[in-house]
């Protein structure tokens, strides 16, 4: 049975964003809803049954402001029963849609803007605080985000569990020999440990170890890209470091082979308040591919790794400590195999169907309520 039309809206995220498209939009389409996604894209098309309604490209948050009138017109023309909004900058647009159409509005909190100190984050937090008072429902990507919501605000936690695309079951991994392939997946940035990762690569090269580091994901900040590129050239790290994406968004199908080929998953982030209280999506991905996790020593991350016995933690920025852990794993295949088995064994507890059911239930209940 065909269910009502729902529309997801973003001017910030790529139309192939894993959370927005591959998990939420595709799941709702499979549950019988008519689903549209309004996002920056080159053409109107239907992918996996989801209609992508294109907005023109616009780089930078200031230029994105000029997309709002068109985004409003396109969204309203869809006559959706639910508008699911993913960006703080679209909150006023969502309010206008709610007032003009009477549709339900769901606001999706992707990160905690209340703990980050910048003018942009402060403005986003103000918009969100206002939104929490009138949105029909708030979806949270992390349990820790609940602390910023008023008690009366209806909410559902939809974690970024992993949705398998190829093989249906987690894999146990045998480390490659003689190479040892290290993967740092996701957005690359200075506060996501980019310097520490390059330190790690430099140490491996200096020791003559046949290791390879893959930086798989876009680096949005041009000055971070330039600084890293200069260092890679200056220190001859090109034979150790592979950059995938780097200056362009990498959709999941292009990333997946790098997970399948890797031996270890890295997350050597700095102690940004938004990171320390959230389990990275990459943890769920690393587990599925049987990759032992080596990450920064934040209490939440430490508990995750220790609970599953799937890796180790080091102080933020401690590339030397990370290097020693990796040397131990590399020299002790039995220890490595134990960690890989533990990672794959834990993966089944973090698969997307659990959250998919939660998402569909939310929509069903939301639409069953009288207007």
């Amino acid at each position: 049975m065909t269910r009502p039309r729902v529309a997801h809206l973003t001017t910030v995220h790529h139309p192939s964003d894993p959370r927005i498209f591959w998990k939420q939009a595709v799941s709702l389409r499979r549950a019988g809803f008519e689903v549209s996604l309004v996002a920056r894209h080159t053409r109107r098309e239907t992918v996996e049954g989801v209609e992508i309604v294109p907005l023109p490209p616009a780089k930078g948050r200031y230029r994105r402001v000029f997309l709002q009138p068109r985004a409003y017109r396109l969204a309203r023309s869809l006559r959706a029963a639910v508008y699911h909004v993913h960006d703080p900058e679209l909150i006023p647009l969502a309010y206008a849609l709610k007032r003009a159409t009477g549709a339900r509005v769901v606001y999706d909190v992707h990160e905690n803007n209340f703990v980050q100190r910048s003018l942009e984050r402060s403005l986003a937090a103000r918009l969100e605080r206002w939104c929490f008072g009138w949105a029909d429902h708030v979806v949270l990507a992390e349990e820790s985000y609940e602390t910023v919501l008023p008690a009366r605000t209806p909410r559902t936690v939809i974690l970024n569990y992993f949705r398998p695309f190829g093989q249906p079951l987690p894999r146990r991994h045998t480390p490659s020999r003689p190479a040892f392939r290290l993967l740092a997946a996701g957005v690359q940035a200075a506060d996501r440990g980019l310097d520490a990762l390059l330190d790690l690569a430099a140490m491996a090269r200096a020791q003559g170890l046949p290791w390879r580091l893959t930086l798989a994901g876009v680096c949005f900040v041009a000055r971070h890209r330039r600084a890293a590129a200069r260092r890679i050239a200056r220190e001859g790290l090109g034979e150790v470091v592979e950059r995938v994406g780097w200056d362009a968004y990498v959709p999941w199908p292009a990333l997946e082979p790098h997970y399948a080929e890797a031996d270890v998953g890295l997350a050597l982030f700095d102690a940004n308040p938004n990171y320390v209280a959230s389990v990275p999506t990459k943890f769920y991905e690393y587990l599925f591919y049987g990759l032992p996790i080596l990450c920064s020593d934040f209490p939440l991350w430490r508990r995750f790794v220790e609970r599953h016995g799937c890796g180790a933690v080091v102080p933020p920025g401690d590339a030397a400590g990370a290097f020693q852990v990796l040397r131990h794993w590399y020299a002790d295949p039995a220890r490595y195999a134990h960690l890989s088995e533990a990672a794959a064994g834990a993966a089944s507890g973090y698969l997307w169907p659990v959250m998919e059911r939660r998402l569909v239930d939310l929509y069903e209940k939301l639409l069953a309520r009288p207007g």
Side-chain angles (χ1 to χ4, degrees):
M1 182 179 68
T2 301
R3 292 176 168 179
R5 176 175 296 279
V6 301
H8 285 246
L9 279 62
T10 180
T11 50
V12 173
H13 299 277
H14 193 276
S16 292
D17 180 86
R19 176 175 177 83
I20 298 172
F21 182 80
W22 288 107
K23 294 174 185 175
Q24 295 185 354
V26 170
S27 291
L28 290 168
R29 182 68 190 96
R30 290 179 177 178
F33 292 94
E34 295 293 327
V35 184
S36 298
L37 169 61
V38 179
R40 290 177 294 157
H41 195 44
T42 56
R43 62 191 181 279
R44 197 178 195 112
E45 62 177 332
T46 299
V47 181
E48 296 286 328
V50 176
E51 177 192 30
I52 300 177
V53 182
L55 292 168
K59 291 186 177 181
R61 59 183 177 273
Y62 301 115
R63 292 183 180 180
R64 291 198 304 264
V65 170
F66 296 103
L67 296 180
Q68 301 246 356
R70 181 179 292 193
Y72 174 81
R73 291 193 298 272
L74 289 172
R76 186 169 179 180
S77 71
L78 294 172
R79 300 182 180 180
V82 178
Y83 291 102
H84 191 137
V85 177
H86 293 270
D87 314 324
E89 63 191 47
L90 292 181
I91 287 173
L93 181 152
Y95 182 74
L97 285 170
K98 181 175 174 62
R99 292 292 300 271
T101 69
R104 308 288 200 271
V105 165
V106 174
Y107 177 65
D108 205 309
V109 182
H110 286 231
E111 56 185 327
N112 190 343
N113 289 302
F114 290 80
V115 298
Q116 302 185 65
R117 296 179 181 178
S118 71
L119 178 60
E120 179 186 1
R121 299 300 184 181
S122 176
L123 291 173
R126 287 172 179 256
L127 283 170
E128 289 180 334
R129 187 177 288 112
W130 171 55
C131 176
F132 297 155
W134 54 262
D136 294 281
H137 210 88
V138 173
V139 167
L140 306 167
E142 285 287 340
E143 293 175 350
S144 63
Y145 299 168
E146 290 199 79
T147 60
V148 306
L149 293 182
R152 67 182 182 279
T153 302
R155 84 287 304 269
T156 300
V157 177
I158 306 288
L159 301 172
N160 279 318
Y161 284 2
F162 181 61
R163 179 195 161 193
F165 286 78
Q167 61 187 76
L169 298 173
R171 60 179 292 202
R172 271 67 174 173
H173 197 76
T174 301
S176 50
R177 288 288 184 260
F180 201 46
R181 293 170 295 198
L182 315 176
L183 173 67
V187 173
Q188 307 295 323
D191 66 349
R192 290 172 174 251
L194 186 53
D195 288 338
L197 291 166
L198 294 180
D199 289 343
L200 191 59
M203 292 175 196
R205 183 176 183 275
Q207 294 290 321
L209 293 168
W211 297 4
R212 188 158 187 84
L213 169 65
T214 299
L215 304 175
V218 63
C219 183
F220 287 112
V221 182
R223 67 179 183 277
H224 296 172
R225 290 199 305 271
R226 290 193 297 267
R230 284 194 298 267
R231 181 177 177 187
I232 290 170
R234 183 175 64 250
E235 300 182 18
L237 298 179
E239 62 190 61
V240 181
V241 178
E242 177 185 12
R243 286 166 285 175
V244 178
W246 195 238
D247 58 354
Y249 181 85
V250 186
W252 173 257
L255 280 179
E256 193 275 341
H258 297 282
Y259 283 83
E261 295 170 358
D263 296 312
V264 175
L266 302 174
L268 303 179
F269 287 19
D270 293 352
N272 182 312
N274 191 49
Y275 301 150
V276 300
S278 305
V279 175
T281 301
K282 63 173 78 346
F283 279 18
Y284 310 135
E285 298 162 355
Y286 290 162
L287 293 184
F288 187 84
Y289 289 91
L291 304 183
I293 296 171
L294 178 58
C295 63
S296 297
D297 189 2
F298 307 143
L300 180 64
W301 295 18
R302 174 184 280 271
R303 288 195 298 272
F304 185 94
V305 169
E306 290 182 345
R307 180 166 67 251
H308 300 302
C310 62
V313 298
V314 294
D318 186 5
F323 180 71
Q324 291 306 318
V325 170
L326 291 168
R327 286 211 69 164
H328 176 63
W329 292 354
Y330 181 68
D332 188 349
R335 174 60 178 160
Y336 175 90
H338 175 78
L339 294 170
S340 178
E341 289 173 3
S348 60
Y350 301 101
L351 296 181
W352 174 247
V354 175
M355 294 298 149
E356 179 179 66
R357 184 66 258 167
R358 193 178 290 183
L359 176 71
V360 173
D361 285 348
L362 157 63
Y363 267 71
E364 289 175 343
K365 291 174 183 177
L366 189 63
L367 289 168
R369 280 173 21 198

